[in-house]
Amino acid sequence: MIKPEKPSNEALRLDALYRYRILDTDKEKSFEDLVTIAKAVCGTSMAAVTLIDAERQWFKSIQGTEAAELPRAESMCGHAILQPQEVMVIEDARIDERFHDNPIVTGAPHVRFYAGAPLISNEGYPLGTLCVFDPQPHHLDTDQTEALAALSRQVMLVMELRRFAQDIQTHMLEREDYERLLNEYHDLLLAQNADLAEQSRTDVLTGLPNRRAMSVALEASVADADGQPRQTAVALVDIDHFKQINDFHGHATGDRVLAALGVLLRAHFSGRGMAARYGGEEFVVLMPDTDLRTAELQCDFLRMAVAELPLGFPVTISIGVAAHKVGDSVDQTVSRADAALYQAKRNGRDRVEIAG
């Protein structure tokens, strides 16, 4: 068994991990849901959110086997964090010289297949992985590998939201500290999505592109440079009962909700799409090269993240999703997404509906 080396920046990496105050905490549904999805998407019997401490691997969530932690020396994830920009895949651990005699391979849970997507902090430190594993040799195709990486980014987003909520609770009585933390949170997610900052036409309140900028992007996204159709999905997002938020909490609070959702949309669709403020409390999301099922999953992740925003009162969203059809105009695609949005509202809100 080859023990994993420690990164050259190990002390800084551990400092970053400890700032999340997450080690040895109880299970949380947000992490459990993402592990369930990772296991289903990759077709494995086991999956986990794991964090690499100084001498141990600790599981925030694990499904398919029972374990709270393992020695870091036996950790496959300890190897995975050494290449933080890659998903480490081991199709058969019994023929891998690093792991063939590892206790978790030779004994329970008899791991043969492993894939781990590193969890990268906003400072760039690998804190652990979202991993899937199985007692049978296995293979991930490109879509599954990309989906696992995308889910690992969702785990980090939940960790950021969790840390932010803790900070808010600690400093709620100090308005100045609260405003500072809110600005830091905004800057953090904004930095992760610097590509959207290049958009010249933006909505002042949310920092997102405005309706005109989105219209240009929509037209460009439905065909490639040669004029051939591209698979593109569009979603319309609406804040549920937004008028009541303004009426009961004031328009300043309503603006804070819009700004927080803008920040979340930036983080959620960075690098793989574009979000814009469409008008009022409505937003539009463009997902190029994305099929309808994947778009529905991404929107459901967004819906769950919004429900956990630490705003001091519950906020939910309804979403309608449509796939662009060859021969349709972009306006027709947006109209179909709008119809699906209204269906989501008729069906009780806080849900995602797809257009037929």
Side-chain angles (χ1 to χ4, degrees):
M1 181 180 72
I2 299 177
K3 296 181 180 180
E5 298 178 358
K6 293 187 177 180
S8 59
N9 58 0
E10 177 70 359
L12 294 174
R13 189 193 70 82
L14 288 173
D15 284 344
L17 172 62
Y18 297 153
R19 284 196 292 272
Y20 287 88
R21 292 169 285 173
I22 193 171
L23 291 172
D24 300 309
T25 58
D26 293 334
K27 290 184 176 181
E28 297 178 47
K29 189 174 186 303
S30 297
F31 295 96
E32 296 293 317
D33 287 345
L34 290 169
V35 168
T36 298
I37 294 169
K39 188 171 61 169
V41 167
C42 295
T44 60
S45 60
M46 296 174 280
V49 169
T50 175
L51 298 167
I52 304 299
D53 200 357
E55 299 298 337
R56 62 171 177 158
Q57 170 185 6
W58 180 78
F59 299 105
K60 175 61 178 174
S61 171
I62 187 167
Q63 296 179 16
T65 187
E66 294 293 331
E69 60 182 54
L70 289 174
R72 183 171 177 174
E74 300 175 9
S75 164
M76 292 182 173
C77 298
H79 289 268
I81 66 169
L82 298 178
Q83 296 177 307
Q85 302 308 318
E86 300 178 13
V87 175
M88 188 178 86
V89 179
I90 304 161
E91 296 190 348
D92 190 341
R94 293 197 308 183
I95 60 176
D96 190 305
E97 66 177 4
R98 295 169 295 177
F99 308 113
H100 67 93
D101 56 350
N102 190 299
I104 65 172
V105 175
T106 59
H110 300 284
V111 175
R112 290 184 67 181
F113 170 79
Y114 168 90
L119 305 175
I120 310 300
S121 74
N122 64 292
E123 303 101 332
Y125 298 116
L127 308 182
T129 72
L130 172 64
C131 61
V132 294
F133 45 106
D134 201 87
Q136 299 297 325
H138 194 61
H139 171 77
L140 292 187
D141 60 29
T142 300
D143 288 344
Q144 289 173 312
T145 303
E146 290 181 354
L148 185 63
L151 286 169
S152 74
R153 293 191 290 271
Q154 293 300 317
V155 172
M156 278 309 307
L157 179 59
V158 173
M159 287 177 61
E160 296 292 354
L161 291 171
R162 183 182 182 281
R163 181 172 71 168
F164 179 64
Q166 291 175 334
D167 289 340
I168 289 295
Q169 291 170 1
T170 301
H171 299 287
M172 184 64 79
L173 296 179
E174 299 291 338
R175 180 177 178 83
E176 181 178 345
D177 283 345
Y178 171 78
E179 292 176 347
R180 176 180 57 80
L181 287 168
L182 186 61
N183 288 333
E184 289 177 357
Y185 173 63
H186 178 274
D187 292 343
L188 168 68
L189 296 185
L190 189 64
Q192 293 176 350
N193 300 277
D195 57 319
L196 288 183
E198 297 176 4
Q199 296 291 337
S200 60
R201 288 166 291 183
T202 60
D203 173 66
V204 175
L205 177 61
T206 64
L208 293 173
N210 59 22
R211 185 168 184 163
R212 176 178 293 181
M214 175 56 77
S215 297
V216 174
L218 273 170
E219 292 286 354
S221 72
V222 297
D224 61 21
D226 298 324
Q228 297 301 311
R230 292 173 67 191
Q231 186 172 233
T232 301
V234 175
L236 283 180
V237 180
D238 190 83
I239 302 173
D240 296 327
H241 304 298
F242 187 70
K243 184 177 184 300
Q244 294 182 16
I245 294 174
N246 282 330
D247 290 346
F248 287 101
H249 299 281
H251 288 277
T253 297
D255 286 348
R256 183 162 61 90
V257 172
L258 291 170
L261 181 53
V263 171
L264 194 58
L265 283 164
R266 282 175 176 272
H268 198 79
F269 294 97
S270 64
R272 297 292 300 224
M274 175 181 177
R277 188 176 181 190
Y278 205 57
E281 69 272 23
E282 196 167 70
F283 297 78
V284 62
V285 176
L286 170 63
M287 291 168 278
D289 302 316
T290 303
D291 60 57
L292 191 58
R293 175 57 180 160
T294 302
E296 181 185 15
L297 283 173
Q298 290 182 357
C299 289
D300 210 35
F301 296 152
L302 173 66
R303 182 189 61 81
M304 291 187 290
V306 168
E308 295 192 16
L309 280 173
L311 295 167
F313 52 88
V315 175
T316 62
I317 57 173
S318 298
I319 307 176
V321 189
H324 182 72
K325 296 180 178 180
V326 177
D328 280 0
S329 67
V330 293
D331 287 340
Q332 288 173 311
T333 301
V334 172
S335 293
R336 292 173 48 245
D338 193 44
L341 170 61
Y342 277 98
Q343 184 64 37
K345 288 185 172 294
R346 285 194 296 269
N347 288 341
R349 295 183 169 84
D350 190 20
R351 61 190 298 121
V352 179
E353 293 285 350
I354 60 175

